[in-house]
Amino acid sequence: FDGSSCLTVDAANVLLPVRAGDPKPVAIGQGMYKSTWGVEFVSDSCLTFHPDGFKTYNVPALLTTASPQDTFMNTSQSPYQWYHEPNPRHFTISCWFFWPLCSDDGLKSREGGCQCVLLQSSPPEMLIQIFVHFDKENPEGIWTLVDYERTKHAIKTPKLNPGWHLLTVVSSTTESPAQKYNGTKFFLDEWCKRLPKVWILNDFYNLGNDLSRGGRKPFGLIADFRIYARCLSDDEVRKLSRAENTDKHPDQIARRLAELDAATVLVQRLDVPDCAAECLRALGSLATLSTQRAKIFHVCGRQLLRLMTSPQPMVQRQAKRLLNNLS
């Protein structure tokens, strides 16, 4: 969410993010990191991470491998091969949000209050996992987590000042080297609430709204949403909350490739069928850097449009992913 086009860019190469509806770009001068980072989810808009949902311990091989003959059907269910089997309860969610949330006053004034939904699990249940509830008795909102047993945990939080804040949810067990805590830690900036023996479901599908109920629960303005397949330490969360720019973002490999003019080199191999899928995948990752998008389109825009009709399914899919990241 780093530009006015409301980009749905996956920097990790493991998702197929799909935008639904028309989320609004951040207003000029309001963006996170003193830039244009930010997307406001409004009614009927959300982001779907992956058609099958996303679990940090069962990453689909759809984009982690790029055999030219692979189709969606034979890769979407193939799990990533880990060196060590991951723990489903070891993950971290972080997201910058702008307070106050949803700008639609009509929703907040509804009888019985309203919910601003951040995360929702996969169909058929589509469980709302993290949301903020507003009503007349709680005009400041109550943050709520719904655990894997479908129990709601309301969290009393400090009053937030208008502006950007960091939400971080760290799920861990005593086996985690970074967080030897058996439960969930809920952070707002550097403030923390411990929830012992409470874990939310490691299954993520929709971000920013609840489309199973008509898309009338938009979360509002967010930026830089991340899911880590590990537990962040308290110190790492503290550093995230104090970030003022993108210098410390976990995209150093892409930045190094940009410095080496990788786009110019990768384009030279797009005519070779056995290389095209991997080159497109690398260009897609490079396109997660906003500074590289214009250059990539300049050197291979026409060729990219031709590859979208390639007879090889993976080449088609990687070309469409690259075009999505460039648009």
Side-chain angles (χ1 to χ4, degrees):
F1 309 128
D2 62 355
S4 59
S5 299
C6 306
L7 297 168
T8 54
V9 174
D10 166 37
N13 267 325
V14 296
L15 301 180
L16 273 181
V18 179
R19 184 178 65 201
D22 294 305
K24 295 165 53 179
V26 65
I28 296 175
Q30 195 180 41
M32 184 61 196
Y33 301 125
K34 301 176 183 178
S35 183
T36 58
W37 286 69
V39 165
E40 182 179 359
F41 289 104
V42 295
S43 294
D44 301 319
S45 67
C46 78
L47 174 69
T48 299
F49 294 116
H50 189 279
D52 300 322
F54 175 69
K55 304 174 180 65
T56 62
Y57 60 92
N58 188 21
V59 179
L62 181 62
L63 292 172
T64 55
T65 59
S67 171
Q69 299 304 323
D70 278 346
T71 64
F72 181 85
M73 291 300 296
N74 66 9
T75 57
S76 62
Q77 301 298 329
S78 302
Y80 181 82
Q81 299 300 308
W82 303 87
Y83 288 110
H84 302 288
E85 198 65 28
N87 190 322
R89 289 180 173 172
H90 290 180
F91 62 89
T92 302
I93 296 166
S94 72
C95 173
W96 285 96
F97 65 92
F98 193 87
W99 191 264
L101 296 180
C102 177
S103 61
D104 190 339
D105 294 330
L107 292 177
K108 290 188 176 181
S109 61
R110 288 186 307 184
E111 186 70 25
C114 77
Q115 291 179 355
C116 293
V117 174
L118 180 65
L119 271 179
Q120 188 174 33
S121 68
S122 301
E125 182 177 11
M126 300 192 79
L127 176 72
I128 295 177
Q129 298 164 294
I130 302 176
F131 66 91
V132 185
H133 179 78
F134 296 90
D135 56 30
K136 293 180 180 179
E137 288 74 28
N138 300 284
E140 293 296 322
I142 298 178
W143 289 85
T144 306
L145 265 63
V146 182
D147 66 21
Y148 71 101
E149 294 180 327
R150 284 55 178 173
T151 302
K152 294 182 180 180
H153 300 269
I155 303 172
K156 187 176 182 180
T157 59
K159 183 177 180 179
L160 297 176
N161 293 323
W164 287 100
H165 297 273
L166 179 68
L167 164 69
T168 312
V169 177
V170 182
S171 175
S172 63
T173 67
T174 53
E175 298 175 1
S176 168
Q179 282 283 6
K180 294 189 177 298
Y181 179 69
N182 206 41
T184 296
K185 289 185 177 181
F186 179 92
F187 292 86
L188 287 180
D189 298 325
E190 296 183 30
W191 178 87
C192 178
K193 171 68 175 179
R194 294 169 177 256
L195 302 169
K197 297 183 179 179
V198 171
W199 296 276
I200 65 174
L201 197 64
N202 190 337
D203 176 18
F204 311 109
Y205 186 73
N206 275 344
L207 172 69
N209 207 337
D210 174 17
L211 288 192
S212 67
R213 294 166 180 82
R216 299 290 291 168
K217 299 181 179 181
F219 188 76
L221 180 57
I222 72 169
D224 197 10
F225 180 89
R226 307 181 191 180
I227 300 178
Y228 294 84
R230 65 181 182 89
C231 309
L232 294 189
S233 67
D234 291 355
D235 186 56
E236 287 177 303
V237 173
R238 189 178 304 112
K239 289 179 180 178
L240 281 178
S241 68
R242 297 178 181 179
E244 296 182 353
N245 51 49
T246 62
D247 290 347
K248 299 298 183 181
H249 277 204
D251 59 356
Q252 300 306 307
I253 294 177
R255 293 185 186 213
R256 181 57 178 157
L257 289 173
E259 293 174 3
L260 296 173
D261 196 21
T264 302
V265 177
L266 290 167
V267 166
Q268 296 174 14
R269 309 301 294 173
L270 290 179
D271 290 329
V272 183
D274 291 343
C275 299
E278 285 294 346
C279 289
L280 287 168
R281 186 160 73 104
L283 287 167
S285 296
L286 196 59
T288 61
L289 296 177
S290 59
T291 56
Q292 291 294 299
R293 291 169 191 152
K295 178 178 181 178
I296 292 172
F297 191 80
H298 174 71
V299 296
C300 70
R302 293 182 179 179
Q303 197 170 5
L304 175 60
L305 296 176
R306 290 198 300 270
L307 290 172
M308 290 180 65
T309 59
S310 168
Q312 297 169 324
M314 180 58 81
V315 173
Q316 278 189 33
R317 192 156 60 248
Q318 294 293 346
K320 291 176 182 177
R321 174 178 178 266
L322 172 56
L323 189 63
N324 175 75
N325 288 4
L326 292 174
S327 62

